Amino acid sequence: RKEVEQDPGPFNVPEGATVAFNCTYSNSASQSFFWYRQDCRKEPKLLMSVYSSGNEDGRFTAQLNRASQYISLLIRDSKLSDSATYLCVVSEDGSSNTGKLIFGQGTTLQVKP
Amino acid sequence: EADIYQTPRYLVIGTGKKITLECSQTMGHDKMYWYQQDPGMELHLIHYSYGVNSTEKGDLSSESTVSRIRTEHFPLTLESARPSHTSQYLCASSEVGTSRGGGYTFGSGTRLTVV
């Protein structure tokens, strides 16, 4: 079983749609959670951190459920420019000093006109 | 403006050659990482370092080696390149104790092709 599991997709949605991605992780001691975005043939870039209380950044909303070890990302009003692969990322263990992150395989989003 | 630099961006090289992929960061981060990623596939950690003179192998076995003589510099070396080494190599860095921080900062990557 992978440490971070995501549905690879692809998710094909029309412009303006709302789309949600989910991710599960296996290490219950993990403390830090992120969503990264990776464009084709580019490096991953931080999209947003994920906090226990849930957090929002414009059209993007991230949620964390520690009991279920589940993370979600909601994108509202999808734009063509949102087309990318979204990586769910979890810290390796409970210590905030290791810094090692585990990357999911990513979920691919294609927004169509 | 990038704070972590990788060179070269693209490299095509013959089998058996020795190559070094460069990675430098100007953020003073203690932790640095090398990932390997094939097209459309997930990232695999191949090496990491927690500071000067510290290097560890990652989760994916790799024939490459790394060194960390200076905080800002974390080069990766392949002594004898083979076609199976063809991939994208991504370097990243982070601060010690990254928790609610920004996670990793990645370089633009080196796309290596061994012919």
Side-chain angles (χ1 to χ4, degrees), chain A residues 43-81:
Chain A
E43 75 274 20
K45 292 187 177 177
L46 178 68
L47 179 66
M48 58 197 302
S49 301
V50 186
Y51 303 133
S52 297
S53 53
N55 49 299
E56 189 174 305
D57 182 1
R59 297 181 293 107
F60 299 83
T61 300
Q63 298 276 357
L64 168 65
N65 184 323
R66 285 185 184 270
S68 303
Q69 294 177 212
Y70 171 97
I71 306 164
S72 66
L73 176 69
L74 183 78
I75 305 175
R76 289 182 300 277
D77 189 23
S78 299
K79 311 290 185 194
L80 295 176
S81 57

PDB file of all heavy atoms in Angstrom, chain A residues 43-81:
ATOM      1  N   GLU A  43       8.643  21.665 -12.677  1.00  0.00           N
ATOM      2  CA  GLU A  43       8.832  21.238 -11.311  1.00  0.00           C
ATOM      3  C   GLU A  43       7.556  21.445 -10.502  1.00  0.00           C
ATOM      4  O   GLU A  43       6.752  22.319 -10.813  1.00  0.00           O
ATOM      5  CB  GLU A  43      10.005  21.993 -10.665  1.00  0.00           C
ATOM      6  CG  GLU A  43       9.721  23.446 -10.289  1.00  0.00           C
ATOM      7  CD  GLU A  43       9.946  24.411 -11.428  1.00  0.00           C
ATOM      8  OE1 GLU A  43       9.956  23.993 -12.612  1.00  0.00           O
ATOM      9  OE2 GLU A  43      10.100  25.608 -11.123  1.00  0.00           O
ATOM     10  N   PRO A  44       7.348  20.668  -9.428  1.00  0.00           N
ATOM     11  CA  PRO A  44       6.200  20.906  -8.547  1.00  0.00           C
ATOM     12  C   PRO A  44       6.338  22.258  -7.839  1.00  0.00           C
ATOM     13  O   PRO A  44       7.441  22.662  -7.470  1.00  0.00           O
ATOM     14  CB  PRO A  44       6.283  19.764  -7.528  1.00  0.00           C
ATOM     15  CG  PRO A  44       7.172  18.740  -8.151  1.00  0.00           C
ATOM     16  CD  PRO A  44       8.138  19.497  -8.997  1.00  0.00           C
ATOM     17  N   LYS A  45       5.197  22.913  -7.657  1.00  0.00           N
ATOM     18  CA  LYS A  45       5.191  24.182  -6.918  1.00  0.00           C
ATOM     19  C   LYS A  45       4.106  24.124  -5.855  1.00  0.00           C
ATOM     20  O   LYS A  45       3.017  23.578  -6.093  1.00  0.00           O
ATOM     21  CB  LYS A  45       4.941  25.354  -7.865  1.00  0.00           C
ATOM     22  CG  LYS A  45       6.093  25.587  -8.819  1.00  0.00           C
ATOM     23  CD  LYS A  45       5.919  26.832  -9.641  1.00  0.00           C
ATOM     24  CE  LYS A  45       7.144  27.048 -10.539  1.00  0.00           C
ATOM     25  NZ  LYS A  45       7.009  28.202 -11.415  1.00  0.00           N
ATOM     26  N   LEU A  46       4.407  24.688  -4.705  1.00  0.00           N
ATOM     27  CA  LEU A  46       3.454  24.672  -3.603  1.00  0.00           C
ATOM     28  C   LEU A  46       2.194  25.427  -3.977  1.00  0.00           C
ATOM     29  O   LEU A  46       2.240  26.594  -4.374  1.00  0.00           O
ATOM     30  CB  LEU A  46       4.082  25.303  -2.358  1.00  0.00           C
ATOM     31  CG  LEU A  46       3.167  25.384  -1.140  1.00  0.00           C
ATOM     32  CD1 LEU A  46       2.872  23.984  -0.613  1.00  0.00           C
ATOM     33  CD2 LEU A  46       3.794  26.246  -0.056  1.00  0.00           C
ATOM     34  N   LEU A  47       1.048  24.762  -3.857  1.00  0.00           N
ATOM     35  CA  LEU A  47      -0.243  25.409  -4.076  1.00  0.00           C
ATOM     36  C   LEU A  47      -0.764  25.971  -2.756  1.00  0.00           C
ATOM     37  O   LEU A  47      -1.095  27.145  -2.645  1.00  0.00           O
ATOM     38  CB  LEU A  47      -1.235  24.406  -4.662  1.00  0.00           C
ATOM     39  CG  LEU A  47      -2.645  24.898  -4.930  1.00  0.00           C
ATOM     40  CD1 LEU A  47      -2.646  25.948  -6.026  1.00  0.00           C
ATOM     41  CD2 LEU A  47      -3.563  23.744  -5.291  1.00  0.00           C
ATOM     42  N   MET A  48      -0.827  25.111  -1.747  1.00  0.00           N
ATOM     43  CA  MET A  48      -1.267  25.560  -0.432  1.00  0.00           C
ATOM     44  C   MET A  48      -0.952  24.520   0.619  1.00  0.00           C
ATOM     45  O   MET A  48      -0.872  23.329   0.330  1.00  0.00           O
ATOM     46  CB  MET A  48      -2.762  25.886  -0.414  1.00  0.00           C
ATOM     47  CG  MET A  48      -3.675  24.755  -0.815  1.00  0.00           C
ATOM     48  SD  MET A  48      -5.352  25.310  -1.253  1.00  0.00           S
ATOM     49  CE  MET A  48      -5.885  26.141   0.239  1.00  0.00           C
ATOM     50  N   SER A  49      -0.741  25.004   1.841  1.00  0.00           N
ATOM     51  CA  SER A  49      -0.646  24.105   2.983  1.00  0.00           C
ATOM     52  C   SER A  49      -2.068  23.725   3.396  1.00  0.00           C
ATOM     53  O   SER A  49      -3.031  24.405   3.043  1.00  0.00           O
ATOM     54  CB  SER A  49       0.048  24.813   4.141  1.00  0.00           C
ATOM     55  OG  SER A  49       1.341  25.223   3.765  1.00  0.00           O
ATOM     56  N   VAL A  50      -2.200  22.644   4.136  1.00  0.00           N
ATOM     57  CA  VAL A  50      -3.505  22.187   4.585  1.00  0.00           C
ATOM     58  C   VAL A  50      -3.512  22.173   6.103  1.00  0.00           C
ATOM     59  O   VAL A  50      -2.668  21.507   6.722  1.00  0.00           O
ATOM     60  CB  VAL A  50      -3.829  20.769   4.055  1.00  0.00           C
ATOM     61  CG1 VAL A  50      -5.262  20.388   4.418  1.00  0.00           C
ATOM     62  CG2 VAL A  50      -3.614  20.682   2.560  1.00  0.00           C
ATOM     63  N   TYR A  51      -4.460  22.873   6.687  1.00  0.00           N
ATOM     64  CA  TYR A  51      -4.535  22.974   8.136  1.00  0.00           C
ATOM     65  C   TYR A  51      -5.756  22.208   8.647  1.00  0.00           C
ATOM     66  O   TYR A  51      -6.735  22.012   7.941  1.00  0.00           O
ATOM     67  CB  TYR A  51      -4.622  24.442   8.573  1.00  0.00           C
ATOM     68  CG  TYR A  51      -3.466  25.280   8.060  1.00  0.00           C
ATOM     69  CD1 TYR A  51      -3.682  26.517   7.469  1.00  0.00           C
ATOM     70  CD2 TYR A  51      -2.152  24.818   8.162  1.00  0.00           C
ATOM     71  CE1 TYR A  51      -2.630  27.283   6.995  1.00  0.00           C
ATOM     72  CE2 TYR A  51      -1.099  25.574   7.699  1.00  0.00           C
ATOM     73  CZ  TYR A  51      -1.333  26.805   7.115  1.00  0.00           C
ATOM     74  OH  TYR A  51      -0.288  27.555   6.650  1.00  0.00           O
ATOM     75  N   SER A  52      -5.682  21.809   9.913  1.00  0.00           N
ATOM     76  CA  SER A  52      -6.745  20.986  10.498  1.00  0.00           C
ATOM     77  C   SER A  52      -8.108  21.657  10.430  1.00  0.00           C
ATOM     78  O   SER A  52      -9.138  20.999  10.277  1.00  0.00           O
ATOM     79  CB  SER A  52      -6.420  20.670  11.964  1.00  0.00           C
ATOM     80  OG  SER A  52      -5.253  19.909  12.046  1.00  0.00           O
ATOM     81  N   SER A  53      -8.106  22.972  10.525  1.00  0.00           N
ATOM     82  CA  SER A  53      -9.370  23.705  10.539  1.00  0.00           C
ATOM     83  C   SER A  53      -9.910  23.930   9.129  1.00  0.00           C
ATOM     84  O   SER A  53     -10.980  24.497   8.952  1.00  0.00           O
ATOM     85  CB  SER A  53      -9.159  25.054  11.225  1.00  0.00           C
ATOM     86  OG  SER A  53      -8.085  25.748  10.617  1.00  0.00           O
ATOM     87  N   GLY A  54      -9.146  23.481   8.132  1.00  0.00           N
ATOM     88  CA  GLY A  54      -9.535  23.770   6.753  1.00  0.00           C
ATOM     89  C   GLY A  54      -9.098  25.165   6.378  1.00  0.00           C
ATOM     90  O   GLY A  54      -9.038  26.059   7.236  1.00  0.00           O
ATOM     91  N   ASN A  55      -8.759  25.370   5.141  1.00  0.00           N
ATOM     92  CA  ASN A  55      -8.329  26.692   4.727  1.00  0.00           C
ATOM     93  C   ASN A  55      -8.662  26.937   3.261  1.00  0.00           C
ATOM     94  O   ASN A  55      -8.804  25.997   2.475  1.00  0.00           O
ATOM     95  CB  ASN A  55      -6.834  26.920   5.007  1.00  0.00           C
ATOM     96  CG  ASN A  55      -5.949  25.804   4.519  1.00  0.00           C
ATOM     97  OD1 ASN A  55      -6.074  24.665   4.963  1.00  0.00           O
ATOM     98  ND2 ASN A  55      -5.033  26.124   3.620  1.00  0.00           N
ATOM     99  N   GLU A  56      -8.780  28.210   2.944  1.00  0.00           N
ATOM    100  CA  GLU A  56      -9.232  28.611   1.625  1.00  0.00           C
ATOM    101  C   GLU A  56      -8.267  29.637   1.054  1.00  0.00           C
ATOM    102  O   GLU A  56      -7.745  30.493   1.785  1.00  0.00           O
ATOM    103  CB  GLU A  56     -10.631  29.232   1.767  1.00  0.00           C
ATOM    104  CG  GLU A  56     -11.350  29.522   0.479  1.00  0.00           C
ATOM    105  CD  GLU A  56     -12.779  29.990   0.730  1.00  0.00           C
ATOM    106  OE1 GLU A  56     -13.527  29.264   1.408  1.00  0.00           O
ATOM    107  OE2 GLU A  56     -13.118  31.090   0.279  1.00  0.00           O
ATOM    108  N   ASP A  57      -8.020  29.547  -0.240  1.00  0.00           N
ATOM    109  CA  ASP A  57      -7.187  30.543  -0.922  1.00  0.00           C
ATOM    110  C   ASP A  57      -7.848  30.819  -2.254  1.00  0.00           C
ATOM    111  O   ASP A  57      -7.669  30.059  -3.209  1.00  0.00           O
ATOM    112  CB  ASP A  57      -5.767  30.005  -1.105  1.00  0.00           C
ATOM    113  CG  ASP A  57      -4.849  31.021  -1.759  1.00  0.00           C
ATOM    114  OD1 ASP A  57      -5.294  32.152  -2.048  1.00  0.00           O
ATOM    115  OD2 ASP A  57      -3.670  30.684  -1.987  1.00  0.00           O
ATOM    116  N   GLY A  58      -8.660  31.868  -2.307  1.00  0.00           N
ATOM    117  CA  GLY A  58      -9.378  32.184  -3.532  1.00  0.00           C
ATOM    118  C   GLY A  58     -10.356  31.078  -3.897  1.00  0.00           C
ATOM    119  O   GLY A  58     -11.222  30.709  -3.110  1.00  0.00           O
ATOM    120  N   ARG A  59     -10.166  30.496  -5.067  1.00  0.00           N
ATOM    121  CA  ARG A  59     -11.074  29.444  -5.549  1.00  0.00           C
ATOM    122  C   ARG A  59     -10.722  28.057  -4.996  1.00  0.00           C
ATOM    123  O   ARG A  59     -11.411  27.090  -5.294  1.00  0.00           O
ATOM    124  CB  ARG A  59     -11.016  29.407  -7.076  1.00  0.00           C
ATOM    125  CG  ARG A  59     -11.505  30.683  -7.751  1.00  0.00           C
ATOM    126  CD  ARG A  59     -11.445  30.583  -9.281  1.00  0.00           C
ATOM    127  NE  ARG A  59     -10.085  30.498  -9.792  1.00  0.00           N
ATOM    128  CZ  ARG A  59      -9.536  29.386 -10.296  1.00  0.00           C
ATOM    129  NH1 ARG A  59     -10.238  28.266 -10.368  1.00  0.00           N
ATOM    130  NH2 ARG A  59      -8.300  29.398 -10.757  1.00  0.00           N
ATOM    131  N   PHE A  60      -9.660  27.968  -4.222  1.00  0.00           N
ATOM    132  CA  PHE A  60      -9.158  26.690  -3.729  1.00  0.00           C
ATOM    133  C   PHE A  60      -9.459  26.534  -2.235  1.00  0.00           C
ATOM    134  O   PHE A  60      -9.188  27.436  -1.452  1.00  0.00           O
ATOM    135  CB  PHE A  60      -7.652  26.583  -3.955  1.00  0.00           C
ATOM    136  CG  PHE A  60      -7.260  26.646  -5.408  1.00  0.00           C
ATOM    137  CD1 PHE A  60      -7.112  27.860  -6.053  1.00  0.00           C
ATOM    138  CD2 PHE A  60      -7.044  25.487  -6.128  1.00  0.00           C
ATOM    139  CE1 PHE A  60      -6.761  27.921  -7.401  1.00  0.00           C
ATOM    140  CE2 PHE A  60      -6.689  25.533  -7.470  1.00  0.00           C
ATOM    141  CZ  PHE A  60      -6.551  26.761  -8.101  1.00  0.00           C
ATOM    142  N   THR A  61     -10.007  25.361  -1.877  1.00  0.00           N
ATOM    143  CA  THR A  61     -10.282  25.062  -0.480  1.00  0.00           C
ATOM    144  C   THR A  61      -9.690  23.697  -0.143  1.00  0.00           C
ATOM    145  O   THR A  61      -9.932  22.730  -0.870  1.00  0.00           O
ATOM    146  CB  THR A  61     -11.792  25.033  -0.196  1.00  0.00           C
ATOM    147  OG1 THR A  61     -12.349  26.297  -0.514  1.00  0.00           O
ATOM    148  CG2 THR A  61     -12.052  24.711   1.272  1.00  0.00           C
ATOM    149  N   ALA A  62      -8.925  23.646   0.930  1.00  0.00           N
ATOM    150  CA  ALA A  62      -8.320  22.391   1.370  1.00  0.00           C
ATOM    151  C   ALA A  62      -8.914  21.981   2.704  1.00  0.00           C
ATOM    152  O   ALA A  62      -9.177  22.823   3.559  1.00  0.00           O
ATOM    153  CB  ALA A  62      -6.807  22.551   1.484  1.00  0.00           C
ATOM    154  N   GLN A  63      -9.122  20.684   2.858  1.00  0.00           N
ATOM    155  CA  GLN A  63      -9.668  20.146   4.109  1.00  0.00           C
ATOM    156  C   GLN A  63      -8.808  18.969   4.560  1.00  0.00           C
ATOM    157  O   GLN A  63      -8.278  18.226   3.729  1.00  0.00           O
ATOM    158  CB  GLN A  63     -11.103  19.641   3.895  1.00  0.00           C
ATOM    159  CG  GLN A  63     -12.102  20.710   3.479  1.00  0.00           C
ATOM    160  CD  GLN A  63     -12.654  21.475   4.664  1.00  0.00           C
ATOM    161  OE1 GLN A  63     -12.330  21.179   5.812  1.00  0.00           O
ATOM    162  NE2 GLN A  63     -13.476  22.464   4.385  1.00  0.00           N
ATOM    163  N   LEU A  64      -8.725  18.810   5.871  1.00  0.00           N
ATOM    164  CA  LEU A  64      -7.975  17.694   6.449  1.00  0.00           C
ATOM    165  C   LEU A  64      -8.856  16.991   7.472  1.00  0.00           C
ATOM    166  O   LEU A  64      -9.449  17.638   8.322  1.00  0.00           O
ATOM    167  CB  LEU A  64      -6.704  18.223   7.134  1.00  0.00           C
ATOM    168  CG  LEU A  64      -5.936  17.271   8.034  1.00  0.00           C
ATOM    169  CD1 LEU A  64      -5.367  16.111   7.226  1.00  0.00           C
ATOM    170  CD2 LEU A  64      -4.827  18.010   8.776  1.00  0.00           C
ATOM    171  N   ASN A  65      -8.931  15.683   7.380  1.00  0.00           N
ATOM    172  CA  ASN A  65      -9.641  14.881   8.371  1.00  0.00           C
ATOM    173  C   ASN A  65      -8.626  13.912   8.974  1.00  0.00           C
ATOM    174  O   ASN A  65      -8.294  12.885   8.375  1.00  0.00           O
ATOM    175  CB  ASN A  65     -10.797  14.113   7.719  1.00  0.00           C
ATOM    176  CG  ASN A  65     -11.627  13.341   8.726  1.00  0.00           C
ATOM    177  OD1 ASN A  65     -11.099  12.791   9.698  1.00  0.00           O
ATOM    178  ND2 ASN A  65     -12.930  13.290   8.511  1.00  0.00           N
ATOM    179  N   ARG A  66      -8.107  14.264  10.154  1.00  0.00           N
ATOM    180  CA  ARG A  66      -7.049  13.441  10.768  1.00  0.00           C
ATOM    181  C   ARG A  66      -7.567  12.071  11.181  1.00  0.00           C
ATOM    182  O   ARG A  66      -6.859  11.077  11.083  1.00  0.00           O
ATOM    183  CB  ARG A  66      -6.469  14.157  11.984  1.00  0.00           C
ATOM    184  CG  ARG A  66      -5.546  15.304  11.648  1.00  0.00           C
ATOM    185  CD  ARG A  66      -4.934  15.854  12.923  1.00  0.00           C
ATOM    186  NE  ARG A  66      -4.115  17.016  12.679  1.00  0.00           N
ATOM    187  CZ  ARG A  66      -2.813  16.955  12.418  1.00  0.00           C
ATOM    188  NH1 ARG A  66      -2.203  15.792  12.347  1.00  0.00           N
ATOM    189  NH2 ARG A  66      -2.129  18.070  12.225  1.00  0.00           N
ATOM    190  N   ALA A  67      -8.812  12.016  11.630  1.00  0.00           N
ATOM    191  CA  ALA A  67      -9.357  10.735  12.092  1.00  0.00           C
ATOM    192  C   ALA A  67      -9.409   9.727  10.948  1.00  0.00           C
ATOM    193  O   ALA A  67      -9.104   8.548  11.115  1.00  0.00           O
ATOM    194  CB  ALA A  67     -10.740  10.939  12.702  1.00  0.00           C
ATOM    195  N   SER A  68      -9.784  10.201   9.774  1.00  0.00           N
ATOM    196  CA  SER A  68      -9.888   9.322   8.606  1.00  0.00           C
ATOM    197  C   SER A  68      -8.611   9.330   7.777  1.00  0.00           C
ATOM    198  O   SER A  68      -8.525   8.584   6.791  1.00  0.00           O
ATOM    199  CB  SER A  68     -11.059   9.758   7.722  1.00  0.00           C
ATOM    200  OG  SER A  68     -12.259   9.759   8.461  1.00  0.00           O
ATOM    201  N   GLN A  69      -7.646  10.188   8.136  1.00  0.00           N
ATOM    202  CA  GLN A  69      -6.382  10.313   7.393  1.00  0.00           C
ATOM    203  C   GLN A  69      -6.692  10.603   5.927  1.00  0.00           C
ATOM    204  O   GLN A  69      -6.236   9.882   5.021  1.00  0.00           O
ATOM    205  CB  GLN A  69      -5.523   9.060   7.598  1.00  0.00           C
ATOM    206  CG  GLN A  69      -5.069   8.947   9.039  1.00  0.00           C
ATOM    207  CD  GLN A  69      -4.272   7.690   9.345  1.00  0.00           C
ATOM    208  OE1 GLN A  69      -4.336   7.174  10.452  1.00  0.00           O
ATOM    209  NE2 GLN A  69      -3.535   7.185   8.389  1.00  0.00           N
ATOM    210  N   TYR A  70      -7.409  11.677   5.735  1.00  0.00           N
ATOM    211  CA  TYR A  70      -7.976  12.018   4.439  1.00  0.00           C
ATOM    212  C   TYR A  70      -7.797  13.512   4.212  1.00  0.00           C
ATOM    213  O   TYR A  70      -8.027  14.316   5.108  1.00  0.00           O
ATOM    214  CB  TYR A  70      -9.450  11.622   4.515  1.00  0.00           C
ATOM    215  CG  TYR A  70     -10.357  12.038   3.406  1.00  0.00           C
ATOM    216  CD1 TYR A  70     -10.664  11.160   2.378  1.00  0.00           C
ATOM    217  CD2 TYR A  70     -10.969  13.282   3.420  1.00  0.00           C
ATOM    218  CE1 TYR A  70     -11.549  11.514   1.378  1.00  0.00           C
ATOM    219  CE2 TYR A  70     -11.847  13.647   2.422  1.00  0.00           C
ATOM    220  CZ  TYR A  70     -12.140  12.764   1.411  1.00  0.00           C
ATOM    221  OH  TYR A  70     -13.010  13.120   0.426  1.00  0.00           O
ATOM    222  N   ILE A  71      -7.364  13.868   3.003  1.00  0.00           N
ATOM    223  CA  ILE A  71      -7.159  15.271   2.635  1.00  0.00           C
ATOM    224  C   ILE A  71      -7.926  15.531   1.347  1.00  0.00           C
ATOM    225  O   ILE A  71      -7.987  14.648   0.473  1.00  0.00           O
ATOM    226  CB  ILE A  71      -5.660  15.544   2.390  1.00  0.00           C
ATOM    227  CG1 ILE A  71      -4.818  15.125   3.593  1.00  0.00           C
ATOM    228  CG2 ILE A  71      -5.409  17.010   2.070  1.00  0.00           C
ATOM    229  CD1 ILE A  71      -3.341  15.005   3.270  1.00  0.00           C
ATOM    230  N   SER A  72      -8.478  16.710   1.225  1.00  0.00           N
ATOM    231  CA  SER A  72      -9.205  17.032  -0.003  1.00  0.00           C
ATOM    232  C   SER A  72      -8.809  18.414  -0.520  1.00  0.00           C
ATOM    233  O   SER A  72      -8.312  19.252   0.225  1.00  0.00           O
ATOM    234  CB  SER A  72     -10.714  16.981   0.238  1.00  0.00           C
ATOM    235  OG  SER A  72     -11.099  18.003   1.139  1.00  0.00           O
ATOM    236  N   LEU A  73      -9.023  18.588  -1.806  1.00  0.00           N
ATOM    237  CA  LEU A  73      -8.819  19.888  -2.452  1.00  0.00           C
ATOM    238  C   LEU A  73     -10.021  20.147  -3.338  1.00  0.00           C
ATOM    239  O   LEU A  73     -10.377  19.314  -4.174  1.00  0.00           O
ATOM    240  CB  LEU A  73      -7.542  19.888  -3.291  1.00  0.00           C
ATOM    241  CG  LEU A  73      -7.265  21.165  -4.084  1.00  0.00           C
ATOM    242  CD1 LEU A  73      -6.928  22.319  -3.130  1.00  0.00           C
ATOM    243  CD2 LEU A  73      -6.115  20.953  -5.082  1.00  0.00           C
ATOM    244  N   LEU A  74     -10.652  21.291  -3.132  1.00  0.00           N
ATOM    245  CA  LEU A  74     -11.809  21.687  -3.932  1.00  0.00           C
ATOM    246  C   LEU A  74     -11.430  22.900  -4.776  1.00  0.00           C
ATOM    247  O   LEU A  74     -10.894  23.873  -4.249  1.00  0.00           O
ATOM    248  CB  LEU A  74     -12.980  22.044  -3.009  1.00  0.00           C
ATOM    249  CG  LEU A  74     -14.297  22.420  -3.684  1.00  0.00           C
ATOM    250  CD1 LEU A  74     -15.006  21.159  -4.157  1.00  0.00           C
ATOM    251  CD2 LEU A  74     -15.205  23.199  -2.734  1.00  0.00           C
ATOM    252  N   ILE A  75     -11.703  22.816  -6.065  1.00  0.00           N
ATOM    253  CA  ILE A  75     -11.455  23.954  -6.951  1.00  0.00           C
ATOM    254  C   ILE A  75     -12.804  24.409  -7.503  1.00  0.00           C
ATOM    255  O   ILE A  75     -13.518  23.635  -8.156  1.00  0.00           O
ATOM    256  CB  ILE A  75     -10.523  23.568  -8.121  1.00  0.00           C
ATOM    257  CG1 ILE A  75      -9.215  22.971  -7.593  1.00  0.00           C
ATOM    258  CG2 ILE A  75     -10.237  24.792  -9.000  1.00  0.00           C
ATOM    259  CD1 ILE A  75      -8.281  22.454  -8.693  1.00  0.00           C
ATOM    260  N   ARG A  76     -13.124  25.660  -7.237  1.00  0.00           N
ATOM    261  CA  ARG A  76     -14.388  26.219  -7.743  1.00  0.00           C
ATOM    262  C   ARG A  76     -14.132  27.031  -8.993  1.00  0.00           C
ATOM    263  O   ARG A  76     -13.035  27.567  -9.199  1.00  0.00           O
ATOM    264  CB  ARG A  76     -15.019  27.123  -6.680  1.00  0.00           C
ATOM    265  CG  ARG A  76     -15.573  26.393  -5.476  1.00  0.00           C
ATOM    266  CD  ARG A  76     -16.221  27.384  -4.497  1.00  0.00           C
ATOM    267  NE  ARG A  76     -15.268  28.378  -4.023  1.00  0.00           N
ATOM    268  CZ  ARG A  76     -14.420  28.174  -3.022  1.00  0.00           C
ATOM    269  NH1 ARG A  76     -14.420  27.010  -2.395  1.00  0.00           N
ATOM    270  NH2 ARG A  76     -13.579  29.113  -2.652  1.00  0.00           N
ATOM    271  N   ASP A  77     -15.150  27.125  -9.858  1.00  0.00           N
ATOM    272  CA  ASP A  77     -15.052  27.962 -11.050  1.00  0.00           C
ATOM    273  C   ASP A  77     -13.762  27.670 -11.827  1.00  0.00           C
ATOM    274  O   ASP A  77     -12.924  28.562 -12.043  1.00  0.00           O
ATOM    275  CB  ASP A  77     -15.126  29.444 -10.657  1.00  0.00           C
ATOM    276  CG  ASP A  77     -15.253  30.370 -11.847  1.00  0.00           C
ATOM    277  OD1 ASP A  77     -15.713  29.910 -12.903  1.00  0.00           O
ATOM    278  OD2 ASP A  77     -14.862  31.549 -11.721  1.00  0.00           O
ATOM    279  N   SER A  78     -13.589  26.442 -12.233  1.00  0.00           N
ATOM    280  CA  SER A  78     -12.349  25.998 -12.890  1.00  0.00           C
ATOM    281  C   SER A  78     -12.001  26.867 -14.093  1.00  0.00           C
ATOM    282  O   SER A  78     -12.873  27.244 -14.888  1.00  0.00           O
ATOM    283  CB  SER A  78     -12.502  24.547 -13.359  1.00  0.00           C
ATOM    284  OG  SER A  78     -12.750  23.698 -12.279  1.00  0.00           O
ATOM    285  N   LYS A  79     -10.713  27.155 -14.213  1.00  0.00           N
ATOM    286  CA  LYS A  79     -10.182  27.904 -15.356  1.00  0.00           C
ATOM    287  C   LYS A  79      -9.332  26.965 -16.221  1.00  0.00           C
ATOM    288  O   LYS A  79      -8.804  25.961 -15.722  1.00  0.00           O
ATOM    289  CB  LYS A  79      -9.288  29.058 -14.867  1.00  0.00           C
ATOM    290  CG  LYS A  79      -9.882  29.931 -13.790  1.00  0.00           C
ATOM    291  CD  LYS A  79     -10.991  30.776 -14.304  1.00  0.00           C
ATOM    292  CE  LYS A  79     -11.486  31.726 -13.209  1.00  0.00           C
ATOM    293  NZ  LYS A  79     -12.784  32.347 -13.574  1.00  0.00           N
ATOM    294  N   LEU A  80      -9.162  27.326 -17.486  1.00  0.00           N
ATOM    295  CA  LEU A  80      -8.289  26.538 -18.357  1.00  0.00           C
ATOM    296  C   LEU A  80      -6.895  26.423 -17.751  1.00  0.00           C
ATOM    297  O   LEU A  80      -6.239  25.384 -17.853  1.00  0.00           O
ATOM    298  CB  LEU A  80      -8.203  27.175 -19.744  1.00  0.00           C
ATOM    299  CG  LEU A  80      -9.482  27.209 -20.575  1.00  0.00           C
ATOM    300  CD1 LEU A  80      -9.255  27.966 -21.872  1.00  0.00           C
ATOM    301  CD2 LEU A  80      -9.986  25.802 -20.855  1.00  0.00           C
ATOM    302  N   SER A  81      -6.458  27.490 -17.101  1.00  0.00           N
ATOM    303  CA  SER A  81      -5.116  27.517 -16.518  1.00  0.00           C
ATOM    304  C   SER A  81      -4.971  26.619 -15.296  1.00  0.00           C
ATOM    305  O   SER A  81      -3.857  26.430 -14.797  1.00  0.00           O
ATOM    306  CB  SER A  81      -4.745  28.948 -16.132  1.00  0.00           C
ATOM    307  OG  SER A  81      -5.700  29.477 -15.231  1.00  0.00           O
TER     308      SER A  81
END
